[in-house]
Amino acid sequence: QVQLVESGGGTVQAGGSLRISCIASGRTFSSHSMGWFRQAPGKEREFVAFISYKGGRTDYTDSVKGRFTISRDNAKNLVFLQMDSLKPEDTALYYCAARRGATIDRAYAYDYWGQGTQVTVSS
């Protein structure tokens, strides 16, 4: 069992930066692939980024490539999403998710989810 808690969300002006974090409980964190997803009001949850269990493989949705960076610290059970050059369209509730097995950009494949942290980008 893995429990996830996100933090670090807030309101930032367009062009600004924010780093959100997710801390996981349990001793098996380092064996889980991790993902970040987001959901804006009235829209479906969408993939943002994933990172493999050792951190050697990452990928991003096209709209955030070059602006967002996912990373993890297995010693501290943490995964991060550094968000730079933020745009109003990045406004959403951001979720951290975990799964055993290979990285994947599909929400249905993830077994554990946090409650989300709100990111609001003002224009």
Side-chain angles (χ1 to χ4, degrees), residues 29-34 50-60 69-75 78-80 101 103:
F29 172 75
S30 60
S31 64
H32 286 73
S33 296
M34 300 297 296
F50 64 52
I51 187 167
S52 59
Y53 70 101
K54 286 189 175 181
R57 181 173 182 236
T58 60
D59 200 8
Y60 304 86
T69 304
I70 188 171
S71 61
R72 66 190 296 163
D73 183 341
N74 285 346
L78 285 165
V79 62
F80 305 100
T103 49

Side-chain angles (χ1 to χ4, degrees), residues 29-46:
F29 172 75
S30 60
S31 64
H32 286 73
S33 296
M34 300 297 296
W36 283 101
F37 292 78
R38 65 186 180 186
Q39 188 167 18
K43 295 188 177 181
E44 292 186 354
R45 190 171 299 189
E46 67 168 348

Side-chain angles (χ1 to χ4, degrees), residues 97-113:
R99 70 182 301 266
R100 281 192 175 272
T103 49
I104 190 170
D105 61 357
R106 306 300 170 92
Y108 66 74
Y110 286 77
D111 304 304
Y112 306 103
W113 292 83

Side-chain angles (χ1 to χ4, degrees), residues 53-96:
Y53 70 101
K54 286 189 175 181
R57 181 173 182 236
T58 60
D59 200 8
Y60 304 86
T61 192
D62 286 346
S63 63
V64 308
K65 283 182 179 176
R67 300 189 297 121
F68 290 13
T69 304
I70 188 171
S71 61
R72 66 190 296 163
D73 183 341
N74 285 346
K76 297 181 179 179
N77 281 16
L78 285 165
V79 62
F80 305 100
L81 187 67
Q82 176 67 41
M83 303 181 290
D84 299 318
S85 302
L86 282 160
K87 303 175 181 180
E89 51 263 43
D90 295 318
T91 295
L93 188 61
Y94 282 72
Y95 296 92
C96 171

